[in-house]
Amino acid sequence: MTTSGMTTPGATRYVALLRGVNVGGVTIKSADLAELFRSLGFANVKTVLASGNVVFDADSDPADAGATAALKARIEQALAERFGYDAWIVLETLERVHQVIDGFPFDAQREGWHPYVLFSSSAGSLTELLEAAPGLDPADESVVAGDGVLYWHCRRAVGIDSPFSKLAARTRFRSTTTNRNLRTLQKLA
């Protein structure tokens, strides 16, 4: 196992983005989360912030959709068993996270605005969410499609009360989507 942040030889560096951790009564300590991932046999495990972000190495081919789905399901099952909640994650390679960061189309440094990326394990969820975007007030928030993500820029003053935030928080999207601030993604990278 390496600890330098470099990928273990022959392994793929992944990022697990957990949905709903340390909010709504689901509390998981970072040390416990890291220990769970290590117990699953993953190497070079690192948690980032206390909002359900885990970077790790796994011997899995990201080009094999079946293997990726099995890896995701294995992690979700282990989280549910260990921490007793309905666990949902979005699983990405670290390389993909770098691409998503590089593709951010808004001014991430704009004063008074939050830069977000919405990830999903279901393209249909992203399509449905994007279809609501033309009705948004661009003075408060904007949403554009990226490659398998939605980029969302929102005025801080509007925040979680924005129409898009309320839409994305609906129950039907909980099992497939999660969002991250661009700065969190940069820390993951």
Side-chain angles (χ1 to χ4, degrees), residues 79-157:
L79 288 165
E81 288 173 2
R82 170 67 171 84
F83 300 111
Y85 78 108
D86 290 331
W88 301 300
I89 69 167
V90 173
L91 187 63
E92 299 283 356
T93 65
L94 187 57
E95 179 182 348
R96 170 106 169 93
V97 171
H98 281 280
Q99 293 166 353
V100 167
I101 292 167
D102 291 344
F104 193 78
F106 304 110
D107 176 3
Q109 303 306 316
R110 185 174 179 185
E111 186 65 34
W113 286 69
H114 285 297
Y116 290 113
V117 178
L118 187 75
F119 292 87
S120 182
S121 56
S122 164
S125 294
L126 293 180
T127 300
E128 185 177 347
L129 288 163
L130 185 61
E131 288 172 355
L136 300 176
D137 182 350
D140 287 331
E141 61 185 333
S142 296
V143 175
V144 298
D147 181 15
V149 297
L150 294 181
Y151 293 107
W152 173 34
H153 213 212
C154 179
R155 267 189 334 114
R156 283 187 185 131

Side-chain angles (χ1 to χ4, degrees), residues 2 6-14 43 57-62:
T2 64
M6 300 296 293
T7 303
T8 304
T12 299
R13 193 91 170 125
Y14 284 96
D57 293 347
D59 293 325
S60 180
D61 180 3

Side-chain angles (χ1 to χ4, degrees), residues 15-24 26-31 33-34 37 46-55 79 83 85 88-90 116-117 119 177-188:
V15 177
L17 303 170
L18 284 66
R19 167 75 184 215
V21 172
N22 296 334
V23 295
V26 177
T27 303
I28 301 174
K29 293 179 183 176
S30 293
L33 185 58
F37 273 69
K46 181 179 179 188
T47 59
V48 179
L49 302 174
S51 55
N53 306 293
V54 185
V55 184
L79 288 165
F83 300 111
Y85 78 108
W88 301 300
I89 69 167
V90 173
Y116 290 113
V117 178
F119 292 87
T177 64
T178 190
N179 72 53
R180 292 297 184 275
N181 189 292
L182 187 67
R183 288 179 282 280
T184 298
L185 295 176
Q186 290 165 335
K187 289 178 183 177
L188 287 166

